[in-house]
Amino acid sequence: MADDARTFPPSDRSLNGDRPDALERLDDTADALEVLREALTGEESLDDALQRLAETAAKAIPDADAVTVSVVTLQRPRTAAATDRILVDVDEKQYSADRGPCLQSARTLEPVRAVVGEHREEWPEFEAAAAEHNIRAYLSVPVILPATDRTQAEHVGSLNIYSHTAEAFDPFDEGLMRLFTTAASATISSAQRWQRSREHIQQLERALVSRAVIDQAKGILMAVHKCSPDEAFSMLVQRSQHENAKLRDVAKNLLDSVMLS
């Protein structure tokens, strides 16, 4: 059943005369990528970058009524971006059941297309949630950052595309989304680097603040007890252990008590 889910249906079911031709669809995807490139900056968080990825992907594929982005974390998958928050429920049902097309895409690193009504035994939770929201077709494409000289290829998440049209999405759409996610990977990678840098700076800032608070508390203890810096620091450590509190919090409480006295 899993293999069937990855196999796109015959072209006479996937394609219909109302859909744009291949060149027009390719142009739409190229335009969406250009919008994504221009909109994203080097100072966006990963979730913000994924939100823009979802918004531009929704414009790149005919019959795409909404897009979400699933991210697999150490704890559990989560939906990091969505063009329609109501449809996050369809993703959540898959996470809770630990099965569904978006999780299969993440595990196989292959695009997965699902027509609602054809996978009731395989993914009953997904089927029920999709039907409740009038979703007829679903395409999940893995977002993979390519390997570099220093890092291995990294699976960032899955781009999940929803449609109210059962005939939506065909092999050409799959190819467009592969192209789209590959081209967007540089932007996502930049967002990841910026977020890691920002987190590192925040850690350093917190460390500097903690050091300043501890030094001030030591100064107070030295003045009160006529002791050396090492002895004052030992007093703070002992109180930290006795109160089972962080050293920074003990020092801050001491400063606060002096300010109130």
Side-chain angles (χ1 to χ4, degrees):
M1 196 69 172
D3 290 338
D4 293 339
R6 289 198 300 273
T7 301
F8 284 82
S11 58
D12 61 343
R13 191 179 83 171
S14 295
L15 298 174
N16 60 69
D18 297 331
R19 306 193 78 203
D21 63 27
L23 287 179
E24 185 176 344
R25 291 154 72 185
L26 183 60
D27 286 342
D28 288 342
T29 300
D31 290 342
L33 280 170
E34 182 65 18
V35 170
L36 181 67
R37 186 187 66 80
E38 292 178 353
L40 287 167
T41 69
E43 297 182 353
E44 269 194 311
S45 69
L46 179 59
D47 279 9
D48 287 342
L50 294 177
Q51 180 63 37
R52 291 191 182 274
L53 175 65
E55 292 169 355
T56 50
K59 300 175 183 177
I61 296 295
D63 296 323
D65 292 303
V67 175
T68 67
V69 181
S70 298
V71 175
V72 179
T73 65
L74 293 178
Q75 292 76 29
R76 69 188 296 270
R78 69 181 180 92
T79 299
T83 61
D84 185 344
R85 298 304 303 180
I86 293 177
L87 293 180
V88 173
D89 177 61
V90 181
D91 292 341
E92 289 289 343
K93 290 296 192 298
Q94 297 179 69
Y95 307 153
S96 298
D98 195 33
R99 59 184 175 183
C102 80
L103 294 179
Q104 182 170 316
S105 175
R107 289 164 179 164
T108 63
L109 301 184
E110 293 289 339
V112 174
R113 179 183 186 269
V115 176
V116 176
E118 296 185 357
H119 305 280
R120 292 191 179 95
E121 294 184 4
E122 184 181 9
W123 305 317
E125 299 83 6
F126 161 77
E127 285 275 344
E132 180 182 349
H133 294 287
N134 195 32
I135 297 303
R136 305 294 302 282
Y138 184 95
L139 174 64
S140 188
V141 182
V143 180
I144 303 172
L145 300 186
T148 67
D149 293 339
R150 297 182 178 180
T151 63
Q152 296 181 336
E154 178 185 357
H155 174 244
V156 175
S158 295
L159 195 68
N160 310 310
I161 311 170
Y162 297 79
S163 180
H164 299 305
T165 304
E167 294 79 15
F169 317 135
D170 57 36
F172 192 74
D173 290 328
E174 174 196 355
L176 288 178
M177 282 297 93
R178 283 180 179 271
L179 172 65
F180 185 84
T181 55
T182 299
S185 64
T187 299
I188 297 172
S189 180
S190 176
Q192 282 188 317
R193 289 195 300 270
W194 179 81
Q195 183 163 302
R196 283 193 292 265
S197 298
R198 184 180 183 185
E199 290 171 353
H200 182 60
I201 291 172
Q202 290 175 337
Q203 290 172 357
L204 290 176
E205 289 175 342
R206 286 194 294 269
L208 290 173
V209 170
S210 298
R211 176 62 184 271
V213 170
I214 292 171
D215 284 344
Q216 292 178 50
K218 283 169 53 180
I220 292 173
L221 292 175
M222 290 167 60
V224 172
H225 297 285
K226 308 298 183 184
C227 61
S228 68
D230 288 343
E231 290 171 333
F233 184 73
S234 295
M235 291 180 189
L236 289 173
V237 171
Q238 290 174 5
R239 182 175 295 186
S240 171
Q241 294 172 344
H242 177 71
E243 298 177 1
N244 192 27
K246 293 182 179 179
L247 188 63
R248 178 179 64 85
D249 293 337
V250 169
K252 185 177 183 303
N253 290 338
L254 176 60
L255 293 179
D256 289 343
S257 64
V258 172
M259 294 292 293
L260 294 174
S261 61

